[in-house]
Amino acid sequence: QQQVKQSPQSLIVQKGGISIINCAYENTAFDYFPWYQQFPGKGPALLIAIRPDVSEKKEGRFTISFNKSAKQFSLHIMDSQPGDSATYFCAAKAGTYKYIFGTGTRLKVLA
Amino acid sequence: GAVVSQHPSRVICKSGTSVKIECRSLDFQATTMFWYRQFPKQSLMLMATSNEGSKATYEQGVEKDKFLINHASLTLSTLTVTSAHPEDSSFYICSALLGVGELFFGEGSRLTVL
């Protein structure tokens, strides 16, 4: 019940295409859903986040879609660029600071 | 976003020695910090939760005496890997909690034990 299931494990997208990464959860107590971007040899960086009272949030080329009834949320990267090639983690938070992370998606954007 | 600095970024040590990694929140105070270990191509494995002024809470299976955590101030937490062995070689990452729950990560520290 505490898990966050992330898919796909890896993703290859052509430059200019849309990258879509999905996460699903069970625990309805989760109240904050961030996405992190991690480059090799670096720590994860907060990319974008959403709270369950909002169905969509957009920041530049990055959009989170949130479906509360389905307990799913996804990250969409529009106009994907080679510089977006990284590992992406979804996460969910319950309570003050209990974070659960997805297993990660390795994105490769082909030039 | 808030900045969390981790030092050193890379460290190589001999087996049996101890290594200290520092995690600092540069522009905010962090009552709570976390330490993770990450294996190649895998997700973040939470090792312990560090609260300022109190003992750290370790996750199941993490040796308290091997991984000493100190959170002596609102901007600094340290992880000391004691009597390090090659199997302790890994990528260690800290994170700090800002306000009501945003989590910011350090740059990570690559530990190699020879």
Side-chain angles (χ1 to χ4, degrees), chain B residues 93-112:
Chain B
I93 313 172
C94 71
S95 67
L97 204 61
L98 171 64
V100 294
E102 286 186 302
L103 194 64
F104 293 92
F105 286 86
E107 307 97 324
S109 299
R110 172 75 59 193
L111 170 63
T112 303

Side-chain angles (χ1 to χ4, degrees), chain A residues 32 36 38 43-44 97 99 102, chain B residues 38 43 97 101-103 105-107:
Chain A
Y32 178 67
Y36 289 87
Q38 185 180 28
Y97 58 71
Y99 272 80
Chain B
Q38 187 176 38
S43 189
L97 204 61
E102 286 186 302
L103 194 64
F105 286 86
E107 307 97 324

